[in-house]
Amino acid sequence: MGVLTPLDWSLVVGYLCIALLAGFLMSRKAGRSIESYFVAGRGLPWWWLGTSMVATTFAADTPLVVTGLVASYGVAGNWFWWSWAVAHVSVAVVFAALWRRSRVLTDAEFLELRYEGPPARFLRAFKAIFFAVLINGIVLGWVIRAMTKISTPFVHWDQWMGAARFDALSAAWPSWFLFGTINDTLTILALFALVTLYSTLGGIRGVILTDLLQFTIAIVASTLFAWFAIDAVGGIGGLRAGLAESYESPDQILAFFPTGEAAWMPIQLLAVYLGVQWWAQYYSDGSGYLAQRLFTARTDQDAEKGGLWFAAANYGLRTWPWVLVALVALVLYPVGSEGTSEAALMVAADREMAYPILMADLLPPGVLGLLFASLLAAFMSTVDTHINWGASYLVNDIYRRFMRPEATQRELVLVSRLTVVGLAMLAILVATQISSIEQAWRFFIALGAGLGLPAMLRWAWWRINAWTEIVGMSVATAAAFYLYWAFPDARDEYLLVAIVAVSMTSAAIATFITPPVSRECLERFVQRVQPPGWWGPAARDGQRQAAAWLGIGWLFGNVAIFSLLMGVGWFILESKLLGASVLLLSVMAYFGVRWALRTSRAALLGAAD
């Protein structure tokens, strides 16, 4: 199993010290007000907030899930998460500037700007609790589970504490409060204590500052890992030969797109991913931690450019190091083979474990420590984001809105810091109930399936009201729990389609049998946010033209991101000429995005005048 040398541990400890230092350095600014604590005074440049989005989205679980997907479905299995790029392009091109112009502290607060009356108040409170407790708990739970898998080969508390003391602690520890083993549990508790400390001190500024370092370390370390992994099998040619030796259909494993005959990745699943999944998710308009980052932008243009940088880096830069390592794992630990070593048995039992096992097998000292530090950083980045984001709901949308409207800024900052600690403890409890990261991902998507379409339409169509979201979210949640219980062997993708059909039908009925938002509320919203689209009694000239140009920008954006994704992959695995040509197309499409955004902005300025 893996042994970290003193050099490796020095890199790990160095990163942890820097993260803690960032929290202390940002603590004074964070403590000025609740707006400074949660949205950094709305003064950050695009590369700060965009890089922070990438770092947060790269959780410790992500490379493990990619490894499992490639083992199950080949390279094309990554369409499960590549399809999310369509939503992230939508966020960058259509919604980023709108979120910033809303000038709210959380996306739950936005609900009382867009809607009105008791339904809006109920929806704000319900959504704040739903995201802060349920959604946040699930996300942090699977991230914790991933970290236990990564740390298992490398962290050995029994050696540090002494066998006798460790055994005594193991005997006294409650069995229900375990993340795999007592060794894994001690690791998670230590990391959570550190994350909670610097997150409590530094607020969103401390979180984003550590994100910048985490992203740099992660890109460098994962690229080095891919280099060593490919070298271990004799280069790309050796990788292809190894796959051909172990599998009947190596070309299907390497295919970027599934075919109708592909057993590894049926084409109908791709249709679900690209036709339904991307818009059915709760964050299809950037709701959640992405919106929180967009709130920190100093200008509308910074919000848009930050969103585009996030989409490009998330799919174009991060994808292929993970995929290459996952393919090497298929060669070195073939699916279905029977190994006798401890490592082979662990991989056979759980394909996601191939990633940390290969780390221990292939990486030299220094590089191993750097990659392990990057995965710790990825874990910490996701945890600090989610507990800060969850705290913003509970403090701004529950405590200040309903419990203590007269609370001072000093009181709110104190409550924010205490809430961060409370959410960290909740996440630890939830994590003890999660066994499969990929299954948690899939159930999480199904749980939010009733939120995606209403979330996008509320920015462009006047007829959407609070009941649209209330009914859609409630029906989707009830349907997800029922269908996963009633059909445990059904594919998650097909369950998702059923949940979306039921929840969207219910939401549409609710929209038309309940009264619309008043003209006064619509005009107040349009005045502040200047949205494109169809606004009925509050309509202004230029809004429909702006929507059309944003649609063109969205098309260009998808061409840019998917050309970048495919171009890098083809350059590495197929033809350098083909890859370079597709990358050139990506650059051209990016300039098309910028042109469409400028034209849309001009139309909206005309509407505002």
Side-chain angles (χ1 to χ4, degrees):
M1 299 298 287
V3 176
L4 295 175
T5 66
L7 173 61
D8 296 320
W9 279 116
S10 67
L11 293 171
V12 172
V13 173
Y15 171 77
L16 298 178
C17 291
I18 291 173
L20 190 59
L21 178 62
F24 280 106
L25 291 176
M26 296 293 109
S27 61
R28 178 170 295 182
K29 286 186 177 180
R32 291 175 180 171
S33 67
I34 187 175
E35 186 168 278
S36 182
Y37 191 86
F38 287 124
V39 295
R42 308 185 194 274
L44 298 186
W46 65 269
W47 59 273
W48 270 57
L49 64 99
T51 303
S52 180
M53 290 181 189
V54 187
T56 297
T57 310
F58 171 22
D61 62 291
T62 316
L64 276 69
V65 173
V66 170
T67 303
L69 287 172
V70 172
S72 298
Y73 310 110
V75 172
N78 287 285
W79 283 105
F80 170 66
W81 68 281
W82 285 348
S83 63
W84 303 348
V86 184
H88 290 145
V89 169
S90 303
V91 172
V93 174
V94 180
F95 303 113
L98 300 178
W99 275 120
R100 187 192 175 276
R101 290 200 291 267
S102 69
R103 306 292 294 179
V104 294
L105 198 68
T106 67
D107 57 307
E109 181 184 346
F110 166 82
L111 298 169
E112 284 199 279
L113 171 66
R114 175 60 178 84
Y115 311 126
E116 62 185 344
R121 291 192 294 272
F122 168 79
L123 181 59
R124 179 177 180 178
F126 181 80
K127 213 167 185 180
I129 296 173
F130 180 82
F131 283 109
V133 179
L134 181 60
I135 297 297
N136 242 355
I138 293 174
V139 172
L140 291 176
W142 82 51
V143 171
I144 291 172
R145 178 59 59 189
M147 197 64 237
T148 64
K149 293 184 178 184
I150 292 168
S151 64
T152 295
F154 306 104
V155 179
H156 308 288
W157 287 90
D158 55 336
Q159 298 177 11
W160 302 338
M161 298 174 61
R165 185 176 300 175
F166 183 81
D167 290 342
L169 181 62
S170 299
W173 198 271
S175 59
W176 61 268
F177 191 64
L178 283 176
F179 309 104
T181 66
I182 182 64
N183 186 79
D184 298 332
T185 303
L186 292 174
T187 302
I188 294 303
L189 292 179
L191 288 173
F192 247 84
L194 180 64
V195 173
T196 304
L197 178 58
Y198 78 71
S199 299
T200 302
L201 291 170
I204 194 65
R205 279 190 177 87
V207 169
I208 291 179
L209 187 59
T210 57
D211 284 349
L212 300 181
L213 177 61
Q214 182 267 323
F215 172 75
T216 303
I217 295 175
I219 287 294
V220 172
S222 61
T223 302
L224 286 173
F225 187 15
W227 178 275
F228 280 100
I230 291 296
D231 183 67
V233 294
I236 297 298
L239 173 65
R240 287 182 168 276
L243 291 173
E245 182 179 342
S246 300
Y247 303 95
E248 294 182 0
S249 304
D251 290 338
Q252 287 187 3
I253 299 173
L254 292 171
F256 294 179
F257 298 94
T259 62
E261 298 76 27
W264 286 70
M265 173 70 179
I267 196 169
Q268 59 265 31
L269 297 189
L270 179 61
V272 173
Y273 296 151
L274 291 176
V276 177
Q277 181 176 271
W278 74 266
W279 57 261
Q281 299 177 89
Y282 81 90
Y283 56 78
S284 59
D285 71 333
S287 296
Y289 66 86
L290 296 182
Q292 188 186 34
R293 296 303 192 274
L294 297 171
F295 296 151
T296 69
R298 60 188 177 190
T299 66
D300 293 355
Q301 289 74 24
D302 280 295
E304 291 169 346
K305 289 193 287 187
L308 287 170
W309 164 236
F310 158 62
N314 193 52
Y315 297 97
L317 297 184
R318 296 192 321 170
T319 288
W320 293 106
W322 298 334
V323 171
L324 291 174
V325 171
L327 290 171
V328 169
L330 290 178
V331 174
L332 298 182
Y333 295 100
V335 174
S337 64
E338 296 183 2
T340 56
S341 68
E342 182 180 359
L345 292 173
M346 291 178 69
V347 173
D350 183 356
R351 292 300 307 188
E352 293 175 352
M353 281 298 298
Y355 195 86
I357 292 296
L358 286 182
M359 287 171 56
D361 287 349
L362 303 179
L363 295 181
V367 178
L368 177 59
L370 185 67
L371 184 60
F372 187 63
S374 77
L375 293 173
L376 286 178
F379 166 78
M380 294 165 65
S381 172
T382 302
V383 171
D384 60 30
T385 289
H386 279 271
I387 58 178
N388 182 278
W389 167 49
S392 72
Y393 286 129
L394 297 180
V395 175
N396 184 64
D397 302 302
I398 301 298
Y399 186 80
R400 182 165 73 166
R401 175 64 180 85
F402 297 104
M403 298 171 63
R404 287 272 295 171
E406 72 281 4
T408 65
Q409 291 297 317
R410 183 175 181 180
E411 178 184 343
L412 290 172
V413 171
L414 174 61
V415 173
S416 300
R417 286 172 167 157
L418 294 175
T419 306
V420 166
V421 176
L423 284 176
M425 296 173 64
L426 173 66
I428 290 174
L429 292 175
V430 172
T432 62
Q433 307 303 312
I434 292 179
S435 59
S436 170
I437 302 169
E438 182 184 338
Q439 287 303 312
W441 268 28
R442 294 181 184 276
F443 180 71
F444 169 75
I445 291 171
L447 203 58
L451 301 172
L453 190 58
M456 292 190 292
L457 289 177
R458 67 191 180 186
W459 295 96
W461 188 32
W462 70 280
R463 193 58 182 83
I464 297 294
N465 61 33
W467 289 109
T468 310
E469 297 199 39
I470 292 171
V471 172
M473 179 167 55
S474 302
V475 172
T477 302
F481 278 104
Y482 171 74
L483 290 175
Y484 271 78
W485 168 78
F487 303 98
D489 298 325
R491 289 205 67 124
D492 302 273
E493 293 83 1
Y494 304 144
L495 293 178
L496 174 65
V497 172
I499 293 166
V500 167
V502 172
S503 62
M504 289 302 92
T505 300
S506 302
I509 293 172
T511 301
F512 290 106
I513 66 173
T514 54
V517 175
S518 71
R519 179 171 182 169
E520 292 75 16
C521 180
L522 289 173
E523 288 180 342
R524 183 173 64 250
F525 175 76
V526 169
Q527 176 67 28
R528 181 190 294 194
V529 178
Q530 302 171 34
W534 297 262
W535 288 97
R540 300 182 179 185
D541 293 338
Q543 289 176 310
R544 295 189 181 186
Q545 294 92 319
W549 282 109
L550 287 179
I552 293 171
W554 177 79
L555 292 174
F556 275 123
N558 279 288
V559 172
I561 298 304
F562 284 109
S563 295
L564 177 63
L565 171 65
M566 296 294 106
V568 173
W570 277 319
F571 189 88
I572 296 171
L573 291 172
E574 299 289 344
S575 163
K576 287 183 169 51
L577 177 60
L578 175 61
S581 300
V582 176
L583 289 173
L584 179 60
L585 175 63
S586 176
V587 173
M588 296 170 61
Y590 168 76
F591 285 107
V593 175
R594 303 303 305 165
W595 166 68
L597 285 174
R598 286 194 301 269
T599 309
S600 176
R601 192 176 299 117
L604 284 174
L605 288 175
D609 294 338

